[in-house]
Amino acid sequence: MSKAFQVSCWAVLLTLVLGGDGRAQSVAASRIKLPIDDQNRVTLTGNVHPLAQAQYDQGAVEDSFPASRIILMLSRSSEKEAALQQFLQDAHTPGNASYHRWLTPQQIGAAYGPSDAEVGAVTGWLKQHGFAVGRLSPGKTALEFSGTAGEVKQTFHTEIHAYLVNGELHYANNADPQIPAALAPVISGITPMNNFHPQSDLVQAGEGVYKPETHELTPQWTESSNPPVLILGPGDFAVQYDLNPLYNAGQNGAGVTIGVISASNIDPSVAERYHTLFGLPPLNFTAVVDGNDTDPEGGNWATDEAYLDVEVSSSIAPGAMVNLYTAGDTSVQSGLLLAAQRAVDDDQAPVLSLSYAECEADLGTAGNQFWAGLWEQAAAQGQTAFVASGDSGSAGCDNFSAAQPAQDGLAVNGFSSTPWNVSVGGTDFYYSSYNGSASAQLAQIGGYWNLNVTDQPTVSLLQYVPEQPWNEAFGLNLSDGGIYNPNLNGVTIIAGSGGASTLYAKPSWQSGSGVPADKARDLPDVSLFASSGTNDSSWLLCEGEDGCIEFAPGAYGNVYGVGGTSASTPAMAAIMAILDQKYGPQGQADFIFYPLAAQDPADFHDIAIGGNDVPCQQGTPDCTLSTASDNTKGFYTLGHYDATKGYDQATGLGSVDANHLVQSWSSLSFKGSSTALTVSQTSFMHGTPVTVDVTVTGTGGTPSGDVGLVTNASPASNTGVGELTLASGAASGT
């Protein structure tokens, strides 16, 4: 990279104060320069949900309709945001004085948040319009308030309407909100005012009977000829991803808390039965309810998701504490968002797990701002946020639960696409050859699984099974040879998601073999097993009042075969908890994952077969007729994210070898760089501009960070400056 500096040797006087983290901060005047005039407004664009359409509109709600727990997002000044970004780079750079010197939420608020005067002005304005103002987050970027639809209309010039979509009644604002122009420098947005729920990334095949003796789940949901599904239990997972050496060394997540962010609570006694079923230690669990509780026996997707997240994370890191963060929805606010804010503000869990999805386009401007800002704060606190990439293949805006081809084009999950979270994709087992006979399939599986057990083992998997991208359209090599057959398995787009963000530039850490030169943040980063049983293996879920109840000797009912990146995400969070037990909180772990993959490939299982293509509707965006000699075989497919050597947008860096990963973590050596300076002149008069070209060449990977220049004034007595350091700001190049 090359940077040009204009250097003038003038002394600069700065007034400094100490921020909450002990760093020097500039005294900033209030950014509110004008009187707050409700007649002089600006519009916060991009904040109407795509389904808030006239064809679904049932009209405005009553003015008395409650509009509770809305969050007004407060912005940092550009200078403070740049300073926070610099801290984040420093805190993730070994050898830097700030390396792993994580901040508390209160320190972030004091050092980088808006001023008390700015917060007071916004709070006063809300109260003036009749709102009850609630909690200000300690990071000083989220201000909660509640009122009525009438107050929302009068204050923000948008109405709350009812919308009937696919038989379900929803509430949402019908127009972009407006705020006084005087407050625009301080208010970055308002969290989405609707109750269109984010989608859980859980795929449930259905109920079955589980026999621990053989690790078989016999489905009860389609024709009786369905073969049993082999359950990947915690012990099997340990074989697949090489966890047993860590367990034997006493590394099981002890002393570490995993924060599961959930839209529902659970009955912990059910998760306890899951632990008992698999011979695990007792469950370490706490529910943290922010505001109203949620129904742990709601029997819906949110409840199933909560049980899966807790059972998977607690079973893989059985020594860890699992904090389930949950909050009830309001008529215009997602409880998931409130729970996530609480999990980050509490700063008790160095590892976070979120298994929900909403594409960048559907989140809108403020929704994307919220998640990007939240994960940025988490990273500054040392928290590692793992977020599911999604279950719609390359079609991140399409509903994977609908039995129809993709129609909305290429897209990614906005919860997972920020630069400050780790995006987790999904894999399935891959058995190398296909033969349509049941006996041939059984022989393939039998090379990896113990199919002849006579007692009740906790482990049935014999060795690592090769993996492919999880793709229920084009990846079912056991049932159809990987050739899409909608007549056999139905029309589906269920697959591990990945692709390129439309919002975020490629982060400095995302480099290495196979990373696309697309200037965009790519998903996923890593992947783990996510199959829901269609290719003959799945996770097990115990949920409901009678979940995992033994109803006959050696047979357990009220169990489900499930999968999705909903499972791979808490599983990856559990592996991170084991790593944190040894090394402490790691913040945005992608700063290590990517260079480690280049330095020590044995830490990852590179996946180079299959892809996350999904069928699409002819004539819709990004939909093309496949002519390649691959498993799409002439179908209309969306995107071309194939699994390839190195990084790819189907499985990221691949899945992990947990033992290798933990052992290699501290041995990562960051390669240096060489710097060449070209100066337009070697001597100059006081006050004369001088152009300096700085070229930095990396000896391994892409150099990133600040390029600085130190000048020595001579003689010092002529200027009184001494040494003056001028920095360009963060830059990267080759």
Side-chain angles (χ1 to χ4, degrees):
M1 63 184 171
S2 180
K3 285 285 176 180
F5 296 87
Q6 291 291 324
V7 181
S8 296
C9 293
W10 293 105
V12 180
L13 179 64
L14 296 177
T15 303
L16 301 174
V17 296
L18 286 181
D21 62 344
R23 291 172 174 78
Q25 300 291 316
S26 299
V27 175
S30 174
R31 290 169 289 161
I32 302 174
K33 304 295 186 183
L34 301 172
I36 301 175
D37 180 3
D38 280 319
Q39 303 306 311
N40 181 17
R41 291 177 164 266
V42 296
T43 301
L44 303 175
T45 58
N47 291 297
V48 177
H49 194 277
L51 291 177
Q53 301 174 16
Q55 61 179 314
Y56 305 126
D57 198 342
Q58 306 298 300
V61 300
E62 297 289 334
D63 282 353
S64 59
F65 184 83
S68 303
R69 305 202 69 183
I70 305 171
I71 292 180
L72 199 69
M73 295 184 296
L74 305 177
S75 64
R76 302 182 181 95
S77 67
S78 57
E79 294 82 7
K80 288 185 176 181
E81 180 60 37
L84 179 56
Q85 291 285 328
Q86 183 59 59
F87 167 77
L88 283 160
Q89 293 293 329
D90 293 344
H92 289 88
T93 303
N96 190 286
S98 295
Y99 183 60
H100 283 193
R101 290 182 59 193
W102 309 117
L103 304 178
T104 66
Q106 291 75 16
Q107 288 173 327
I108 293 172
Y112 304 110
S115 69
D116 290 341
E118 291 169 341
V119 174
V122 174
T123 300
W125 174 71
L126 288 171
K127 290 181 177 179
Q128 181 183 352
H129 285 275
F131 291 105
V133 177
R135 190 176 70 110
L136 172 67
S137 67
K140 298 179 70 174
T141 54
L143 182 63
E144 187 179 309
F145 66 97
S146 299
T148 64
E151 288 161 347
V152 168
K153 177 173 62 176
Q154 187 269 336
T155 307
F156 298 106
H157 291 197
T158 183
E159 296 180 351
I160 304 298
H161 282 218
Y163 295 90
L164 187 63
V165 183
N166 296 326
E168 294 184 356
L169 192 64
H170 296 273
Y171 302 101
N173 57 302
N174 72 331
D176 283 327
Q178 299 177 6
I179 59 171
L183 296 178
V186 180
I187 297 175
S188 63
I190 306 168
T191 51
M193 291 185 287
N194 63 68
N195 68 344
F196 288 101
H197 298 293
Q199 188 172 23
S200 160
D201 286 319
L202 179 147
V203 175
Q204 186 178 111
E207 189 174 0
V209 175
Y210 178 60
K211 294 183 178 180
E213 180 180 272
T214 58
H215 272 222
E216 292 177 330
L217 177 75
T218 302
Q220 295 180 330
W221 55 89
T222 55
E223 65 273 13
S224 59
S225 60
N226 264 15
V229 171
L230 289 171
I231 290 299
L232 186 77
D236 306 309
F237 183 91
V239 171
Q240 178 71 8
Y241 296 114
D242 197 18
L243 282 156
N244 285 320
L246 298 172
Y247 294 154
N248 293 337
Q251 297 172 41
N252 61 4
V256 179
T257 299
I258 301 170
V260 168
I261 299 168
S262 174
S264 173
N265 208 336
I266 68 166
D267 176 354
S269 67
V270 178
E272 285 279 12
R273 290 199 291 271
Y274 180 94
H275 275 236
T276 300
L277 179 61
F278 287 107
L280 298 168
L283 174 71
N284 297 319
F285 173 81
T286 299
V288 181
V289 180
D290 190 79
N292 294 330
D293 202 352
T294 54
D295 183 4
E297 298 303 335
N300 55 30
W301 51 268
T303 306
D304 295 345
E305 179 63 64
Y307 279 110
L308 179 66
D309 292 345
V310 171
E311 289 167 1
V312 168
S313 59
S314 65
S315 64
I316 295 170
M321 169 65 73
V322 175
N323 282 3
L324 179 74
Y325 287 92
T326 187
D329 291 334
T330 76
S331 57
V332 292
Q333 180 64 278
S334 166
L336 189 71
L337 181 148
L338 299 170
Q341 183 73 54
R342 175 67 181 271
V344 173
D345 285 345
D346 273 6
D347 194 24
Q348 296 298 308
V351 182
L352 301 173
S353 176
L354 177 69
S355 294
Y356 288 81
E358 193 165 1
C359 72
E360 291 175 333
D362 288 355
L363 270 175
T365 302
N368 286 295
Q369 287 174 341
F370 173 83
W371 291 101
L374 190 72
W375 298 145
E376 179 187 48
Q377 178 182 331
Q381 295 169 187
Q383 294 176 297
T384 308
F386 291 95
V387 187
S389 67
D391 293 354
S392 302
S394 53
C397 281
D398 283 89
N399 181 0
F400 66 82
S401 298
Q404 61 186 26
Q407 301 177 26
D408 294 331
L410 296 171
V412 296
N413 177 11
F415 296 168
S416 191
S417 64
T418 87
W420 298 111
N421 67 272
V422 179
S423 179
V424 184
T427 70
D428 199 348
F429 293 145
Y430 179 77
Y431 300 98
S432 58
S433 64
Y434 166 74
N435 184 305
S437 70
S439 61
Q441 292 182 27
L442 198 64
Q444 278 281 307
I445 296 172
Y448 298 96
W449 295 81
N450 181 2
L451 302 179
N452 300 304
V453 294
T454 58
D455 56 0
Q456 183 170 324
T458 57
V459 180
S460 184
L461 193 65
L462 300 173
Q463 60 176 315
Y464 171 77
V465 185
E467 294 169 274
Q468 62 178 323
W470 170 52
N471 189 327
E472 297 205 357
F474 299 109
L476 301 178
N477 59 300
L478 278 182
S479 62
D480 58 19
I483 300 173
Y484 180 47
N485 187 348
N487 295 321
L488 178 63
N489 296 309
V491 177
T492 183
I493 64 167
I494 293 175
S497 291
S501 170
T502 62
L503 299 176
Y504 305 108
K506 193 173 296 299
S508 62
W509 42 258
Q510 194 164 46
S511 62
S513 173
V515 174
D518 54 7
K519 300 181 180 180
R521 196 293 198 231
D522 293 304
L523 282 67
D525 298 310
V526 295
S527 295
L528 291 175
F529 180 80
S531 180
S532 59
T534 313
N535 207 38
D536 283 2
S537 294
S538 91
W539 292 87
L540 184 76
L541 171 67
C542 296
E543 69 91 15
E545 183 178 354
D546 296 326
C548 282
I549 292 292
E550 186 175 20
F551 70 90
Y556 290 78
N558 285 349
V559 297
Y560 298 83
V562 297
T565 53
S566 276
S568 56
T569 300
M572 193 64 219
I575 291 175
M576 195 71 200
I578 294 170
L579 190 147
D580 279 8
Q581 179 186 357
K582 184 171 183 178
Y583 297 112
Q586 297 295 308
Q588 170 49 303
D590 281 330
F591 278 91
I592 304 295
F593 283 140
Y594 281 83
L596 201 59
Q599 177 178 301
D600 193 355
D603 296 336
F604 297 86
H605 302 132
D606 192 13
I607 298 167
I609 190 168
N612 68 354
D613 281 3
V614 293
C616 55
Q617 182 67 48
Q618 181 181 357
T620 57
D622 305 313
C623 186
T624 58
L625 180 64
S626 173
T627 57
S629 58
D630 58 16
N631 288 337
T632 58
K633 299 296 183 185
F635 288 96
Y636 281 89
T637 60
L638 183 70
H640 298 283
Y641 300 145
D642 295 326
T644 59
K645 184 175 177 57
Y647 178 88
D648 56 70
Q649 292 158 293
T651 60
L653 297 170
S655 65
V656 301
D657 183 305
N659 182 48
H660 273 278
L661 186 72
V662 171
Q663 304 309 328
S664 300
W665 196 262
S666 63
S667 66
L668 180 65
S669 59
F670 287 85
K671 299 180 180 180
S673 59
S674 60
T675 305
L677 302 179
T678 302
V679 187
S680 60
Q681 59 196 87
T682 57
S683 63
F684 45 90
M685 296 294 293
H686 174 78
T688 304
V690 179
T691 299
V692 180
D693 288 323
V694 182
T695 301
V696 181
T697 304
T699 58
T702 301
S704 63
D706 282 349
V707 177
L709 178 66
V710 177
T711 66
N712 290 308
S714 178
S717 59
N718 288 346
T719 63
V721 176
E723 290 192 344
L724 176 66
T725 301
L726 304 175
S728 70
S732 62
T734 58

